[in-house]
Amino acid sequence: MARPLSVQEIVAQAQDFDFNISRPLQQWIRAGKLLLTEAAICEQDGNLQMAYLYLYRHAQLVLDRLPQHPDFKNPKYREDLASARKALQRNVPKLEQWKPRILQEYQRYAKAMERRDAEKKRMLQERDDDGRRQSESEQRRRPSLLSDDGMLDGNQLLSANEHSQLAVDLAHREIRRRGVTRQTTRQAGISPDTVASRRKGVVVEADNISDRDQSDGVREAGQQFYSSSRQAPAAHRDAARETATQAYYYPVVPAKGNAIDWTMPALQPYPSSAFAGPPPALPSKRAPDSFTPVVPPRPSAPPTPTPPAASPSSPPAHHSTPSKYTFKPTAFTESGAPLRTVMLPPDLRTAFLNLAHPNTLRNLETCAILCGTLISNALFINHLILPDQTATSDTCDTTETGDNALFDYCDSHELLVCGWIHTHPSQSCFLSSRDLHTSSGYQVMLPEAIAIVCAPRHNPDWGIFRLTAPPGLDAVLNCRKPGLFHPHAENDLYTDALRPGHVVEGPGLKFEVVDLRVTRA
């Protein structure tokens, strides 16, 4: 956040991810689709650097990594692989067109830093010549090129925790704009890539390569991106190392030996305004083990300095556009890596508990997925999605087709999976060993991913957690113990993500409830 990245630095981070051929090929294909979603969101948010990173990583995955998989030549994946190559073919011109803009931004920053250093040197000279008091007075009258925190003037660095209402207002405005743009482009038959390019003054070249020659053409077009980037400094590669994609499972809770008298009174009805409309039609569905959340690389930059506190009498104007603000990380992992702020609607938990209440009365678990979008370097949860699932007194699993319905919905609405929420109808509020393995699958791809546990019959009755990093995330990812529930030798495997943490409740933040369950409680 302190400075723009060079193209070489972006490429080094994009190339640096682990590819494990033991993971199903379908997971990697879907991982590629989610990279495209990330790129589209970043482009809409005006963050061309991250958009470039995700498109470049998608190209790296399709060109270099997928052909190494043993199932690459399996006919059942031919259509999906062809679709991935077509997407790459469309994005190669965008990478070329964005490169000079990224370079220009980096050079502009470098020149601004040189001018600031020269200005400081001149001011120090004046201080020696005219005295300290006169120099300080003149410095207050003369605007600086850069703010004290290193951000260019015009792009304020804010804390979402201190300016939660501003964050909510910006999110609502940006989400509405994206929704209108998406609806308009669909009605007009214009691709979202074309609209985004026009809005930013980018011209995307037409696709003139036939399907028959597509594979060779795409590979030839993409090689230019790798010839220079393979020589990127090792320090950049080490700074952005990601872990292999994890399989997706829902957690279960140990069964209680004694029967429970379920006489809990029903919760108060949740306002109908939280439900944006009737549940959407179920899309086509596939096997559940093919869902893999893909998210940004873990930042390696040092913690961003805190800017001077804003005066209470002059808060940031709410009429400014989202591009004028960047929300700084307010929490860090145990290793010091910054965590982007996750804005959570305070009413989401109540909505979920009302939907889960019939199951809870019958001592059955319920789970849902937290989805959202990226705006100004903060993640805003704006969807609560209940996939098709089956439940018992100690298990909750998606159906064979449930994960694919979830993925299709997220893909069509450009949503990111930010974590999950589930009930412990007969247990206290904690993360079981199975819960830890489930959460690691989200958090390995998105360090900010969270797990919300609701235990309505206990105190505390809910909590928001993340795996520690380290030791929790690495320990769980490397765990090979059999059985649904097993002990872990390590301590402090997870921690609170709300008090304190990177999760901030945003009063008034709107969200949609999407119930994809075929058979509802």
Side-chain angles (χ1 to χ4, degrees):
M1 293 176 58
R3 67 173 180 86
L5 297 176
S6 67
V7 173
Q8 291 76 15
E9 290 173 323
I10 296 173
V11 167
Q13 292 190 23
Q15 288 183 316
D16 196 11
F17 67 96
D18 294 331
F19 181 79
N20 190 337
I21 62 175
S22 66
R23 303 293 177 187
L25 181 62
Q26 185 66 32
Q27 286 189 354
W28 289 112
I29 293 174
R30 293 204 162 176
K33 292 181 180 179
L34 287 174
L35 284 172
L36 297 178
T37 299
E38 284 276 22
I41 293 175
C42 289
E43 182 182 4
Q44 292 180 34
D45 205 29
N47 190 346
L48 286 188
Q49 293 191 78
M50 290 304 298
Y52 189 98
L53 188 151
Y54 291 128
L55 288 189
Y56 194 103
R57 178 167 293 174
H58 176 266
Q60 180 84 6
L61 177 67
V62 173
L63 287 177
D64 287 353
R65 307 298 176 89
L66 293 185
Q68 301 175 17
H69 200 281
D71 291 333
F72 180 75
K73 295 184 179 181
N74 190 324
K76 66 182 293 187
Y77 300 115
R78 183 177 302 163
E79 183 177 349
D80 288 334
L81 291 171
S83 178
R85 288 191 293 267
K86 287 181 180 179
L88 170 58
Q89 177 182 314
R90 292 192 300 268
N91 291 325
V92 165
K94 297 181 75 171
L95 289 171
E96 285 287 9
Q97 292 152 2
W98 286 350
K99 187 184 297 184
R101 298 176 63 183
I102 294 173
L103 177 61
Q104 182 181 19
E105 182 180 356
Y106 179 79
Q107 292 175 340
R108 175 174 173 265
Y109 173 84
K111 291 179 180 179
M113 290 296 293
E114 291 177 0
R115 292 196 299 269
R116 188 187 73 169
D117 292 342
E119 175 77 0
K120 286 184 175 181
K121 184 177 181 179
R122 189 181 68 82
M123 293 297 293
L124 289 174
Q125 184 64 41
E126 288 184 0
R127 179 177 301 172
D128 293 339
D129 295 342
D130 302 332
R132 183 182 184 88
R133 180 176 302 176
Q134 180 180 353
S135 177
E136 290 178 350
S137 176
E138 185 175 351
Q139 186 177 9
R140 285 193 296 268
R141 295 195 302 269
R142 186 181 290 115
S144 63
L145 296 170
L146 291 172
S147 59
D148 291 338
D149 59 5
M151 295 295 293
L152 288 170
D153 286 343
N155 189 7
Q156 296 186 41
L157 191 64
L158 301 177
S159 168
N161 197 16
E162 298 174 0
H163 303 285
S164 59
Q165 189 56 56
L166 170 63
V168 170
D169 292 344
L170 292 179
H172 288 166
R173 183 156 53 247
E174 177 64 10
I175 290 171
R176 284 196 300 269
R177 186 196 66 77
R178 293 178 185 178
V180 171
T181 300
R182 190 161 47 240
Q183 181 179 4
T184 302
T185 56
R186 286 175 178 172
Q187 292 175 350
I190 305 173
S191 70
D193 289 342
T194 302
V195 174
S197 301
R198 290 176 180 175
R199 185 165 63 87
K200 295 186 175 298
V202 178
V203 179
V204 180
E205 297 179 8
D207 178 1
N208 294 321
I209 303 177
S210 65
D211 289 343
R212 183 172 57 85
D213 299 328
Q214 182 188 84
S215 181
D216 294 338
V218 171
R219 179 172 293 277
E220 180 179 355
Q223 292 306 320
Q224 56 184 304
F225 295 107
Y226 305 127
S227 58
S228 60
S229 59
R230 289 186 187 281
Q231 311 198 356
H236 297 312
R237 296 194 297 270
D238 295 339
R241 174 68 59 188
E242 289 186 347
T243 314
T245 302
Q246 301 296 306
Y248 177 83
Y249 300 98
Y250 280 109
V252 297
V253 175
K256 294 288 288 185
N258 299 326
I260 299 177
D261 180 15
W262 293 103
T263 58
M264 187 193 330
L267 299 175
Q268 294 297 321
Y270 191 72
S272 59
S273 60
F275 299 82
L282 287 176
S284 59
K285 304 175 180 179
R286 300 181 200 168
D289 64 351
S290 58
F291 179 79
T292 303
V294 174
V295 292
R298 181 171 302 178
S300 59
T304 306
T306 302
S311 170
S313 60
S314 58
H318 286 209
H319 61 272
S320 300
T321 60
S323 60
K324 295 294 183 181
Y325 301 101
T326 298
F327 294 108
K328 65 178 182 178
T330 55
F332 303 86
T333 66
E334 289 67 25
S335 63
L339 292 169
R340 292 172 296 183
T341 299
V342 174
M343 296 293 295
L344 177 70
D347 298 332
L348 182 143
R349 181 173 55 92
T350 304
F352 171 70
L353 284 173
N354 275 283
L355 289 167
H357 186 67
N359 274 353
T360 304
L361 288 177
R362 304 202 307 263
N363 194 21
L364 300 176
E365 283 195 5
T366 308
C367 55
I369 309 302
L370 308 173
C371 298
T373 190
L374 178 66
I375 300 174
S376 299
N377 201 51
L379 295 160
F380 292 81
I381 294 177
N382 62 351
H383 279 73
L384 174 69
I385 304 179
L386 286 85
D388 191 34
Q389 57 193 265
T390 59
T392 68
S393 60
D394 56 4
T395 63
C396 181
D397 297 289
T398 55
T399 63
E400 184 178 354
T401 57
D403 277 341
N404 194 69
L406 171 65
F407 178 86
D408 287 345
Y409 187 88
C410 291
D411 185 51
S412 62
H413 291 76
E414 294 184 346
L415 295 174
L416 304 176
V417 176
C418 300
W420 63 304
I421 180 172
H422 72 291
T423 56
H424 279 189
S426 59
Q427 295 291 307
S428 59
C429 181
F430 73 107
L431 288 182
S432 68
S433 61
R434 181 74 183 275
D435 296 345
L436 292 172
H437 282 270
T438 300
S439 294
S440 68
Y442 293 121
Q443 202 170 317
V444 70
M445 301 305 295
L446 178 63
E448 295 85 1
I450 58 175
I452 303 179
V453 180
C454 298
R457 294 184 62 86
H458 292 80
N459 185 22
D461 59 356
W462 67 290
I464 305 178
F465 307 109
R466 68 168 176 85
L467 273 65
T468 54
L473 184 58
D474 290 340
V476 174
L477 290 175
N478 294 322
C479 175
R480 298 295 182 266
K481 294 181 179 179
L484 296 180
F485 299 98
H486 50 263
H488 292 96
E490 299 80 5
N491 296 321
D492 302 321
L493 293 178
Y494 65 95
T495 186
D496 197 324
L498 178 63
R499 295 179 293 269
H502 66 293
V503 178
V504 175
E505 291 188 307
L509 183 59
K510 298 178 182 178
F511 65 96
E512 291 188 38
V513 177
V514 181
D515 198 337
L516 298 177
R517 294 176 294 177
V518 175
T519 303
R520 301 176 185 175

